[in-house]
């Protein structure tokens, strides 16, 4: 299936509602910052950024007039301090803003800021984007329902995100996967199954290979691979259920083939159940925080009416849960999808407890 038929042409940006704003304030995601997305658009010029193979990265390195550069550098150091430290200015003397890059590809058109510690040459990145409610819901759900915590800040129309380190999926598939051992390929296949299931459960769409990273973790005498989403722009917007399953994107074809060649059907089913159970446990342990987020999403406008109608119909066909047909907003669909996973987990757990009591008696 082509991407044009699978994905919408353009996703609109949705403003932060009063409920979501109150949520962000309550959980310390809102903060005053000295520079906004629009300020970074005042660059005087740019040059193309190429990779090691001299191919266009679709990023451009921007530069500013002398009159603005000093102020912008100081403001970006302040943002770095707020994001990664205590927000004070005592570390400014040790920081240098090496580069400000602007991405011309995709919906969000982010700025990528590279900050270096001049004492030891260690560097890190953070991103400056336009605030979008869909992306905020995606970041928060990733923070609560995935194995990874995320650090981000919101101020009015500007979103600051920390960098998620890893090897871009498309780069890994092209350059590194062919050299992996058979054991590593089997482990990658398992991880892709779990990643695929996790995305579908929490309705995170558009996980093409360049929208996630693969993270190698050294464990004793072998390498364990993890897959992490890095783009949360398509959180519960699209109407097609396939958009929320990475397996249906042509960019992931090699990963799907890896699963087919390395895992038996019983193993795939086992890993799906494992992931659903883990997500259900995270939903339960998140308590009031996820309830408050979903209450905001249920009342929010974060998708198109036709998308809502299509998605709730497709999920009903999959689950046969009549409650999906009653949903009026995409947030209600998301809430019910997560509740469905949680209820199934609790029903199975209760059945196991009852069976154990019967055996003991």
């Amino acid at each position: 299936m082509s991407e044009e038929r699978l994905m919408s042409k353009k996703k609109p940006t949705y403003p932060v509602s009063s409920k979501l704003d109150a949520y962000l304030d309550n959980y310390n995601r809102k903060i005053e910052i000295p520079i906004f997305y629009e300020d970074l658009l005042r660059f005087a010029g740019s040059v193309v950024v190429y990779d090691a193979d001299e191919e266009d990265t679709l990023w451009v390195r921007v530069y500013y007039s002398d009159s603005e550069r000093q102020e912008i550098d100081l403001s970006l150091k302040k943002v770095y301090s707020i994001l990664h430290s205590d927000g004070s200015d005592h570390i400014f003397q040790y920081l240098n803003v090496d580069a400000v890059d602007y991405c011309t590809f995709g919906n969000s058109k982010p700025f990528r800021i590279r900050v270096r510690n001049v004492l030891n040459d260690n560097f890190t990145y953070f991103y400056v984007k336009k605030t979008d409610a869909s992306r905020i819901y995606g970041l928060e759900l990733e923070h609560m329902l995935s194995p990874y915590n995320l650090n981000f800040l919101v101020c009015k129309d500007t979103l600051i995100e920390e960098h998620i380190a890893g090897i871009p999926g498309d780069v890994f598939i092209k350059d590194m996967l062919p050299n992996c051992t058979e054991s590593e390929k089997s482990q990658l296949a398992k991880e892709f199954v779990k990643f695929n299931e996790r995305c579908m459960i929490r309705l995170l769409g558009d996980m093409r290979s360049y929208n996630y990273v693969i993270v190698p973790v050294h464990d004793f005498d072998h390498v364990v691979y993890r897959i992490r989403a890095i783009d949360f722009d398509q959180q519960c917007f699209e109407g097609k259920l396939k958009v929320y399953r990475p397996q249906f994107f042509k960019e992931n074809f090699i990963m799907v083939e890896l699963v087919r060649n390395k895992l038996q059907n019983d193993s795939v089913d086992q890993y799906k159940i494992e992931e659903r159970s883990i997500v259900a446990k995270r939903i339960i342990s998140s308590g009031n925080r996820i309830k408050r987020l979903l209450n905001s999403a249920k009342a929010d406008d974060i998708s198109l009416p036709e998308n809502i109608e299509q998605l709730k119909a497709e999920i009903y066909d999959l689950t046969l849960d009549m409650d999906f047909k009653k949903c009026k907003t995409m947030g209600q669909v998301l809430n019910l999808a997560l509740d469905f996973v949680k209820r199934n987990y609790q029903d199975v757990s209760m059945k196991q407890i009852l069976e154990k009591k019967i055996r003991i008696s």
Side-chain angles (χ1 to χ4, degrees):
M1 182 177 290
S2 68
E3 305 307 326
E4 288 73 26
R5 291 173 58 197
L6 193 57
M7 297 282 296
S8 299
K9 291 285 186 181
K10 177 76 172 177
K11 174 192 165 293
T13 298
Y14 291 98
V16 174
S17 66
S18 57
K19 273 193 173 183
L20 181 56
D21 186 72
Y23 171 91
L24 294 170
D25 194 30
N26 188 70
Y27 291 101
N28 298 316
R29 296 298 199 186
K30 276 183 68 178
I31 199 159
E32 291 298 319
I33 55 175
I35 192 168
F36 295 96
Y37 180 90
E38 298 296 331
D39 297 326
L40 294 177
L41 288 173
R42 302 199 307 263
F43 51 85
S46 64
V47 293
V48 176
V49 177
Y50 295 97
D51 63 17
D53 298 321
E54 294 300 318
E55 293 184 6
D56 190 346
T57 62
L58 302 178
W59 289 84
V60 296
R61 185 147 298 164
V62 302
Y63 53 89
Y64 299 87
S65 64
D66 292 340
S67 60
E68 291 195 328
R69 180 71 204 200
Q70 186 174 358
E71 180 185 349
I72 287 174
D73 276 13
L74 190 63
S75 297
L76 292 174
K77 290 177 184 179
K78 181 68 174 178
V79 171
Y80 173 91
S81 180
I82 295 170
L83 189 65
H84 291 290
S85 186
D86 60 1
S88 63
D89 58 4
H90 73 275
I91 64 171
F92 288 7
Q93 59 184 316
Y94 308 121
L95 302 178
N96 187 70
V97 179
D98 279 359
V100 178
D101 297 333
Y102 178 60
C103 184
T104 57
F105 176 72
N107 283 330
S108 58
K109 291 184 168 52
F111 285 93
R112 180 179 63 195
I113 317 300
R114 172 171 157 149
V115 178
R116 177 172 54 89
N117 186 308
V118 298
L119 297 179
N120 51 37
D121 277 343
N122 285 330
F123 64 87
T124 189
Y125 298 95
F126 66 85
Y127 298 84
V128 181
K129 302 178 179 179
K130 295 192 75 171
T131 301
D132 175 33
S134 297
R135 190 174 297 115
I136 292 172
Y137 285 120
L139 288 163
E140 275 294 314
L141 287 170
E142 182 75 2
H143 179 76
M144 286 185 270
L145 302 185
S146 83
Y148 316 104
N149 293 331
L150 287 182
N151 189 14
F152 70 92
L153 302 169
V154 179
C155 184
K156 298 178 182 177
D157 294 331
T158 298
L159 172 66
I160 310 293
E161 286 182 34
E162 70 175 349
H163 176 65
I164 298 174
I167 304 164
D170 54 341
V171 174
F172 185 93
I173 291 169
K174 176 176 176 287
D175 297 337
M176 299 179 179
L177 182 58
N179 299 320
C180 287
T181 65
E182 296 307 307
S183 175
E184 289 171 343
K185 288 178 180 178
S186 294
Q187 198 271 325
L188 275 162
K190 169 188 173 181
E191 184 66 17
F192 187 78
V193 169
K194 294 169 81 71
F195 177 67
N196 188 77
E197 193 71 11
R198 190 161 66 244
C199 290
M200 183 184 70
I201 290 171
R202 42 79 57 98
L203 299 181
L204 177 62
D206 194 19
M207 281 298 107
R208 285 174 277 191
S209 56
Y210 48 77
N211 285 333
Y212 60 80
V213 293
I214 295 178
V215 185
V217 180
H218 291 268
D219 184 22
F220 292 105
D221 59 349
H222 66 288
V223 177
V224 177
Y225 292 96
R226 298 286 182 256
I227 300 178
R228 292 192 64 178
I230 59 172
D231 190 331
F232 304 94
D233 183 54
Q234 288 286 345
Q235 175 64 51
C236 57
F237 168 75
E238 293 284 349
K240 297 183 181 71
L241 185 58
K242 286 183 176 181
V243 172
Y244 305 105
R245 303 176 73 182
Q247 70 186 82
F248 287 106
F249 289 100
K250 64 183 181 182
E251 290 85 353
N252 295 325
F253 175 76
I254 292 177
M255 297 297 287
V256 174
E257 285 296 295
L258 200 64
V259 172
R260 187 174 290 119
N261 294 333
K262 289 294 179 182
L263 302 180
Q264 297 180 359
N265 289 339
D266 287 347
S267 294
V268 171
D269 291 340
Q270 174 197 337
Y271 296 142
K272 286 181 178 180
I273 292 170
E274 286 180 8
E275 194 60 29
R276 285 184 216 135
S277 299
I278 291 170
V279 171
K281 290 174 184 176
R282 292 190 182 117
I283 293 170
I284 295 167
S285 65
S286 295
N288 288 332
R289 180 164 185 161
I290 196 166
K291 288 178 184 176
R292 189 164 181 174
L293 182 73
L294 292 172
N295 283 338
S296 172
K298 285 190 291 185
D300 218 339
D301 178 18
I302 51 174
S303 189
L304 304 175
E306 57 269 27
N307 289 355
I308 299 167
E309 291 300 315
Q310 180 177 3
L311 185 60
K312 71 182 189 181
E314 291 191 17
I315 296 181
Y316 167 76
D317 291 339
L318 183 67
T319 63
L320 299 181
D321 187 332
M322 285 296 295
D323 287 339
F324 281 103
K325 289 193 171 184
K326 304 173 187 175
C327 294
K328 302 297 182 184
T329 68
M330 193 60 91
Q332 291 175 358
V333 177
L334 171 65
N335 178 69
L336 196 55
L338 294 178
D339 187 61
F340 183 86
V341 171
K342 183 179 73 172
R343 282 187 284 113
N344 274 311
Y345 167 76
Q346 290 174 325
D347 289 346
V348 171
S349 298
M350 182 57 66
K351 182 180 177 182
Q352 290 172 340
I353 292 171
L354 292 174
E355 287 176 349
K356 185 176 180 181
K357 285 183 177 179
I358 291 171
R359 286 198 303 269
I360 292 173
S361 62

